Amino acid sequence: MGVSKCRTTSVPGAGVMCPSFRATGDERHSTRGRARLLHEMLAGELVTDGWRSPEVRDALDLCLSCKGCRSDCPVEVDMATYKAEFLHHHYAGRRRPAAHYTMGWLPVWLGWAARARVAPVVNALASVGPLAAVAKRLGGIAGERQVPRLARETFSRWWRRRGGPGGVGDLVVLWPDTFTEHLSPSVGRAAVRVLEAAGLRVVLPPTLRGRAVVGDGRSRSPLALPAARRARVCCGLTYVSTGQLDRARAVMRRSLDLMAPVLETTAPVVVLEPSCAAALRTDLPELLPDDPRAARLAARVLTFAEVLERHAPDWTPPAVDLPVVGQTHCHQHAVLGDAADRRLRESAGLTGELSGGCCGLAGDFGFEAGHYEVSAACAEDQLLPAVREAPDGAVVLADGFSCRTQLEQLAGVRGRHLAEVLAEGLGEE
């Protein structure tokens, strides 16, 4: 349409589109420019090598897949989806960039590390400069980046040690996404505490197809234990963002198999990581349109604030009474909406508005070699200035793992999930 809204040099309010254009000022890095290149590719007159086109690949390379254009573009151009589809065709039958194997398959590598219980060893090796530098170079990771530390105890292992579900109210199923499970289990623990304080009965998804029990969080059959340890739900986000769509579909089907007992109930599915929630709400039914279970699961997905508002409407959150600063997650802005979050923050006495834009890390984007400067420029657009100008004692809110990582690595600031802030407001257990 050529409206040019994506070419704005500043974004008002909670808007996002288009962070890469604001970082580079190059037309080909705007939503409009990329859409035009895709049009020319399909027309086949100016761009004649189709899906193999290096020009289109290079133009899409700096797309953060923030999904801002999905909501902010007047005609809802969804460049994140177009990029995933292009990468799927572009690398079909070809060797992919190293980052697609390291970060695209992150759930697999983290799962192996958890089963082998080698998190302390991995963390120790990652802290050795020369070893870390070699690993990052081989893995296609920007040398300027620090490798995030793995949790010594995964969220699911803490859940089993804790002894399973508590509470007596409505049943809610807490989705243990890859980031909460392996990198930020404190967010999952805080969410469980708050949800149970609100009177909800929290359970985890099954881990064994067929004979699973809703909320067991593991297999009950010793003979099936090896399979149960490998069978964990996953939204497929990392595969989608790197264009590995066949693998994403396989992972999503496995998750639907595991969630079959949940779909027989009326329980909502609470997802703490906004990008994973967005993937389940949109990418899941779009990639598996012929599987009715995909639409059913997508309709069940709620954010942390939404489940409290809908299933514990009479609960009063603790009075935190502090100013907040931070950024609304770009996927939450584009797909999920943040109205429930705003009301929950207001009820808890958390005052102040979160900025718009994108943190710039955007999952694997900011970790890929060659993306660091653009990633940092996106953070400097709104997020980092807002944090630097925050009043004393302000809470830095960042519900996404990428946002928290960007804040830590670029500003030395610890961002916190809303669940962590409310759990702290409840006092000592």
Side-chain angles (χ1 to χ4, degrees), residues 166 202 209 231 338 348 395 421 424:
V202 183
R209 283 171 281 194
D338 68 339
V395 175
V421 177
E424 185 175 298

Side-chain angles (χ1 to χ4, degrees), residues 100-268:
H100 287 198
Y101 300 107
T102 53
M103 289 176 284
W105 284 64
L106 189 64
V108 173
W109 312 136
L110 293 179
W112 285 357
R115 285 192 293 275
R117 298 178 183 259
V118 295
V121 176
V122 173
N123 293 336
L125 293 176
S127 65
V128 179
L131 291 178
V134 171
K136 286 186 285 188
R137 186 175 182 84
L138 293 176
I141 298 172
E144 300 91 338
R145 288 292 176 187
Q146 300 167 18
V147 179
R149 295 179 64 83
L150 307 188
R152 296 179 66 90
E153 181 181 51
T154 65
F155 172 63
S156 293
R157 192 166 291 149
W158 168 83
W159 175 267
R160 293 194 296 270
R161 180 171 58 81
R162 175 180 182 264
V168 294
D170 288 357
L171 179 72
V172 298
V173 180
L174 183 59
W175 183 277
D177 63 85
T178 295
F179 307 100
T180 301
E181 173 73 4
H182 299 285
L183 299 168
S184 293
S186 61
V187 172
R189 296 194 297 265
V192 170
R193 188 173 176 214
V194 173
L195 293 172
E196 290 184 348
L200 300 175
R201 184 159 58 97
V202 183
V203 298
L204 298 192
T207 56
L208 180 62
R209 283 171 281 194
R211 291 169 288 171
V213 178
V214 176
D216 67 351
R218 62 191 186 280
S219 168
R220 295 181 183 274
S221 168
L223 296 177
L225 192 57
R229 284 178 174 167
R230 288 193 297 270
R232 297 216 175 266
V233 294
C234 178
C235 67
L237 170 68
T238 58
Y239 306 105
V240 174
S241 62
T242 53
Q244 302 180 69
L245 300 187
D246 290 335
R247 174 64 182 173
R249 291 185 181 97
V251 168
M252 289 173 174
R253 288 193 184 96
R254 182 193 66 195
S255 295
L256 290 174
D257 290 342
L258 290 168
M259 292 293 286
V262 174
L263 296 178
E264 293 175 1
T265 72
T266 59

Side-chain angles (χ1 to χ4, degrees), residues 270-346:
V270 189
V271 186
L272 302 174
E273 176 66 34
S275 54
C276 295
L280 290 170
R281 278 218 191 147
T282 59
D283 295 314
L284 173 64
E286 288 172 1
L287 285 171
L288 298 177
D290 299 326
D291 192 331
R293 301 176 302 172
R296 288 167 59 195
L297 177 55
R300 297 280 190 89
V301 171
L302 297 178
T303 66
F304 173 72
E306 286 174 337
V307 76
L308 286 171
E309 184 172 79
R310 298 184 192 183
H311 293 268
D314 298 327
W315 179 67
T316 301
V320 180
D321 297 330
L322 288 171
V324 296
V325 68
Q327 190 172 58
T328 301
H329 194 286
C330 51
H331 287 189
Q332 181 144 13
H333 167 78
V335 177
L336 308 170
D338 68 339
D341 292 74
R342 289 173 178 271
R343 289 188 287 268
L344 180 57
R345 293 200 303 267
E346 182 180 355

